[in-house]
Amino acid sequence: LNGSGLGCFDFDNCFDDGVLKPAVRDFIADIAYPIVYVERSVSGNGLHVFVEAEKQRGFRRDGVEFYTWGRFIRMTLDSFKL
């Protein structure tokens, strides 16, 4: 991500037996930015939620990371429907 108008929420360990955890689903529902694309991460047990967002400071807390610049996200193209 290079500050080009995209951001990514990166969720780790967000599935239980293949089902998205309710807390993660609620977090995603509360994302204020327009969601562009959602995919499973490389591990298969995480999600990348790409959003429209201007360059800003990122964060990492409680199993969620958010970045708009200065990070590489390895895309899988394994899309996930919310």
Side-chain angles (χ1 to χ4, degrees), residues 2-50:
N2 64 2
S4 63
L6 280 178
C8 183
F9 287 90
D10 184 2
F11 297 87
D12 295 328
N13 302 313
C14 60
F15 291 94
D16 279 330
D17 295 322
V19 177
L20 189 60
K21 293 178 182 178
V24 175
R25 186 172 295 282
D26 291 346
F27 187 104
I28 293 170
D30 288 341
I31 291 175
Y33 306 104
I35 295 175
V36 176
Y37 180 68
V38 181
E39 68 174 13
R40 286 184 181 263
S41 64
V42 174
S43 71
N45 200 38
L47 279 183
H48 298 148
V49 178
F50 291 91

Side-chain angles (χ1 to χ4, degrees), residues 37-74:
Y37 180 68
V38 181
E39 68 174 13
R40 286 184 181 263
S41 64
V42 174
S43 71
N45 200 38
L47 279 183
H48 298 148
V49 178
F50 291 91
V51 298
E52 293 178 16
E54 295 304 316
K55 185 177 177 180
Q56 59 192 276
R57 184 183 181 122
F59 67 81
R60 181 187 321 183
R61 66 175 173 268
D62 301 327
V64 181
E65 298 176 52
F66 176 70
Y67 302 106
T68 60
W69 64 280
R71 296 285 193 243
F72 291 97
I73 305 291
R74 183 173 171 201

